[in-house]
Amino acid sequence: MALAWCVVRRSASKFASVYGGRVRSISAVVNRASLARNPSPVRPLVSRGFNYSTAIDRMSSEQSLIRVIDSEINSASQTDNIDLDEEITPGSFPFRIEDNPGHQNVTLTRDYNGEHIKVVVSMPSLVSDENDDDADDDEGPSNESSIPLVVTVTKKSGLSLEFSCMAFPDEIAIDALSVKHPGDSLEDQMANEGPDFEDLDENLKKTFYKFLEIRGVKASTTNFLHEYMMRKVNREYLLWLKNVKEFMEE
């Protein structure tokens, strides 16, 4: 009887040690699964707070940029309140002006004694003369603007002369002169560029300057163009600012 009781106790103890461990393992698994199904409520709050802060910073930055753009628009608008067309008196400027917003060039056209004259005016550039020994050190380098011009004088037959010029205040400089035939290919046009204008005889050069002057390409015309093109620079800048602001506000 005593021997049988010992056997029963050992079996019960073995059952408890084996199956009791499995029960603890199952309990641990169940607890971990429940934690996975119920994550900490702190984590999503931190993520949402970070996204909200980032959105606020971006909105503040864009609003600040729009305020700066508005300030620039107001400044540019104040310097563009003069209409130069009202300053042109009949006969003083014989060309028709074709100026399209957003384009970098202005085209002038007129007809003169059976010829069609076209002047393509590009944006002005500022030339700084830092090597001017006569300039006062207190005043710094002297600056002057220059405007590239391409003047084309075309006959009824289509034959034309093309002048590449640079217009300075009160002065026009011819850089090159070429003859264009109707139907010429690009290779033919390059072949007809002619000699370097500076190598021509002085009397011949003076005659070409007079040729342009008679047709309206002279210092008084280019002085007006300097003022006109400087205002165009401002108008194009103003248009660009408004386009950027429209993008930022969408």
Side-chain angles (χ1 to χ4, degrees):
M1 183 70 178
L3 179 60
W5 175 247
C6 289
V7 170
V8 170
R9 289 186 62 183
R10 288 175 184 173
S11 299
S13 176
K14 184 176 181 182
F15 176 86
S17 62
V18 173
Y19 290 96
R22 291 184 181 179
V23 170
R24 285 194 296 269
S25 299
I26 293 172
S27 176
V29 170
V30 170
N31 290 336
R32 289 171 186 169
S34 63
L35 289 175
R37 289 195 301 268
N38 299 284
S40 172
V42 177
R43 187 175 302 168
L45 292 178
V46 173
S47 177
R48 290 171 189 159
F50 178 77
N51 291 336
Y52 178 77
S53 176
T54 303
I56 291 296
D57 290 343
R58 191 184 75 172
M59 184 181 302
S60 176
S61 174
E62 291 179 356
Q63 290 175 347
S64 176
L65 179 57
I66 291 175
R67 285 195 298 269
V68 174
I69 292 175
D70 281 333
S71 177
E72 283 292 298
I73 289 175
N74 291 334
S75 177
S77 298
Q78 291 175 3
T79 59
D80 192 46
N81 56 4
I82 299 177
D83 189 358
L84 282 181
D85 292 338
E86 297 178 356
E87 300 179 5
I88 301 176
T89 58
S92 64
F93 193 81
F95 292 95
R96 295 179 293 274
I97 301 176
E98 181 182 338
D99 184 2
N100 297 316
H103 292 194
Q104 297 297 303
N105 297 329
V106 171
T107 302
L108 312 178
T109 57
R110 71 170 299 200
D111 295 317
Y112 175 81
N113 288 348
E115 299 171 345
H116 181 71
I117 302 169
K118 182 175 75 171
V119 183
V120 178
V121 188
S122 300
M123 287 293 195
S125 59
L126 190 64
V127 179
S128 177
D129 186 3
E130 299 180 355
N131 299 320
D132 189 356
D133 297 334
D134 297 333
D136 191 348
D137 293 338
D138 296 335
E139 296 179 355
S142 59
N143 297 325
E144 63 177 5
S145 61
S146 61
I147 302 177
L149 308 175
V150 177
V151 183
T152 305
V153 181
T154 305
K155 297 287 188 179
K156 291 182 178 180
S157 63
L159 188 65
S160 62
L161 287 180
E162 184 177 280
F163 297 82
S164 297
C165 308
M166 191 66 71
F168 300 93
D170 301 317
E171 181 184 3
I172 301 173
I174 300 176
D175 295 329
L177 169 61
S178 59
V179 180
K180 307 293 183 182
H181 292 82
D184 277 352
S185 63
L186 181 60
E187 291 78 8
D188 293 334
Q189 293 179 9
M190 295 179 64
N192 295 333
E193 285 185 352
D196 191 333
F197 189 81
E198 288 300 318
D199 294 337
L200 298 180
D201 179 77
E202 287 297 325
N203 290 330
L204 185 55
K205 287 192 290 186
K206 291 179 181 179
T207 303
F208 280 123
Y209 279 109
K210 190 66 176 179
F211 178 88
L212 291 179
E213 181 181 349
I214 292 173
R215 286 155 179 80
V217 184
K218 50 188 177 180
S220 61
T221 301
T222 56
N223 286 344
F224 169 82
L225 287 176
H226 271 83
E227 185 72 16
Y228 186 93
M229 295 303 290
M230 291 303 294
R231 292 186 182 278
K232 179 174 175 60
V233 170
N234 187 73
R235 289 197 300 272
E236 295 300 327
Y237 177 56
L238 182 59
L239 177 62
W240 177 81
L241 286 172
K242 291 179 179 179
N243 289 336
V244 173
K245 180 182 177 181
E246 180 182 0
F247 170 83
M248 297 302 300
E249 289 179 335
E250 279 197 5

